[in-house]
Amino acid sequence: MRLKISVILLTTILSLNSYALIELGMDFSYDKDVFGTNRQSKNTSRTWAGSVATYLWEYTALEINYMENSDNTVINESVSYSDLDITILGQQTEIETKSYGLGFRQSFSSRKSLIQPSLSLGYARTFKRTKTNYTVRSDISGTSFTSVNPLIKQRQDSMFGTFSLKFRLSQRLSIRGSIQTYIRAFDWNSAKDDLRYTAGFTWLL
């Protein structure tokens, strides 16, 4: 909560003092992957993100962003454990991720250009909740029941990086495609492990 309030106040002060241009952005992505021998399992991922960029100079802006991701994996494959006399009939895992970021955006072309690439870098705080449950059948009695793992909560400080490509539709409205990643504690190799591809629009105030 303190981070949210500080970010809002900082953006407001900069906007009032510098008469800066403000750009609002909204992005969304949806992905569904069906897998398994008989295509009986699936993974569904939804991401939406919002950003506010206050331009301090023509090509450089202070950026605040928010990302929320829901990832649901359903595995419908039977695995038997003869030593325990049980069979795992299926597994469902739900992962909810929320991330708050503060950093700088650097544009590489004028706002009047038809195509406008940009790169954003900064600090991000990520909150993750993971819930997993199993459908289990007793091989002795033949009855089935659901086994629920304890909810796992994680909080992580990291860096975010976003490369965006905007296509200007009018003086204020643009559409954009973005690739975003989160880097854990300067572990640069982790950048490729958490990539999100989104599409959306921006609006200049």
Side-chain angles (χ1 to χ4, degrees), residues 15-134:
S15 300
L16 292 175
N17 290 343
S18 62
Y19 303 97
L21 192 66
I22 296 178
E23 183 178 53
L24 305 179
M26 182 67 70
D27 299 278
F28 179 78
S29 71
Y30 173 82
D31 180 67
K32 182 179 180 180
D33 180 28
V34 178
F35 59 95
T37 306
N38 299 312
R39 297 173 56 83
Q40 72 275 28
S41 302
K42 66 178 181 179
N43 173 263
T44 304
S45 179
R46 296 178 178 86
T47 300
W48 74 268
S51 63
V52 179
T54 302
Y55 279 87
L56 310 177
W57 299 279
E58 182 178 1
Y59 294 101
T60 306
L62 174 69
E63 178 180 320
I64 303 164
N65 58 54
Y66 172 77
M67 183 277 297
E68 185 169 324
N69 174 260
S70 175
D71 198 301
N72 192 339
T73 302
V74 178
I75 299 176
N76 293 314
E77 292 187 4
S78 299
V79 180
S80 298
Y81 296 89
S82 56
D83 54 332
L84 300 175
D85 294 321
I86 62 171
T87 298
I88 305 296
L89 301 178
Q91 172 186 338
Q92 180 171 336
T93 302
E94 297 179 6
I95 303 176
E96 294 183 357
T97 306
K98 296 181 180 180
S99 181
Y100 304 85
L102 174 63
F104 288 95
R105 179 189 300 176
Q106 181 65 42
S107 297
F108 299 104
S109 66
S110 168
R111 286 188 290 270
K112 297 180 180 180
S113 301
L114 177 62
I115 300 176
Q116 304 170 29
S118 66
L119 179 65
S120 299
L121 294 171
Y123 163 81
R125 176 169 290 183
T126 302
F127 301 87
K128 182 178 292 187
R129 294 161 55 93
T130 303
K131 181 173 65 175
T132 304
N133 61 67
Y134 300 89

Side-chain angles (χ1 to χ4, degrees), residues 83-197:
D83 54 332
L84 300 175
D85 294 321
I86 62 171
T87 298
I88 305 296
L89 301 178
Q91 172 186 338
Q92 180 171 336
T93 302
E94 297 179 6
I95 303 176
E96 294 183 357
T97 306
K98 296 181 180 180
S99 181
Y100 304 85
L102 174 63
F104 288 95
R105 179 189 300 176
Q106 181 65 42
S107 297
F108 299 104
S109 66
S110 168
R111 286 188 290 270
K112 297 180 180 180
S113 301
L114 177 62
I115 300 176
Q116 304 170 29
S118 66
L119 179 65
S120 299
L121 294 171
Y123 163 81
R125 176 169 290 183
T126 302
F127 301 87
K128 182 178 292 187
R129 294 161 55 93
T130 303
K131 181 173 65 175
T132 304
N133 61 67
Y134 300 89
T135 301
V136 184
R137 182 185 66 201
S138 170
D139 294 336
I140 298 176
S141 64
T143 58
S144 299
F145 59 94
T146 300
S147 175
V148 181
N149 281 5
L151 180 66
I152 300 175
K153 296 182 179 181
Q154 296 173 299
R155 188 181 73 178
Q156 181 175 285
D157 293 327
S158 60
M159 295 177 61
F160 76 87
T162 306
F163 176 78
S164 298
L165 201 59
K166 291 195 305 182
F167 299 87
R168 187 167 63 89
L169 301 179
S170 67
Q171 184 177 359
R172 297 186 180 275
L173 179 64
S174 300
I175 60 173
R176 72 177 175 187
S178 301
I179 303 174
Q180 187 172 53
T181 185
Y182 290 88
I183 304 167
R184 299 183 297 271
F186 297 97
D187 179 9
W188 305 106
N189 290 327
S190 67
K192 61 180 181 294
D193 298 333
D194 191 359
L195 292 175
R196 290 183 174 85
Y197 302 84

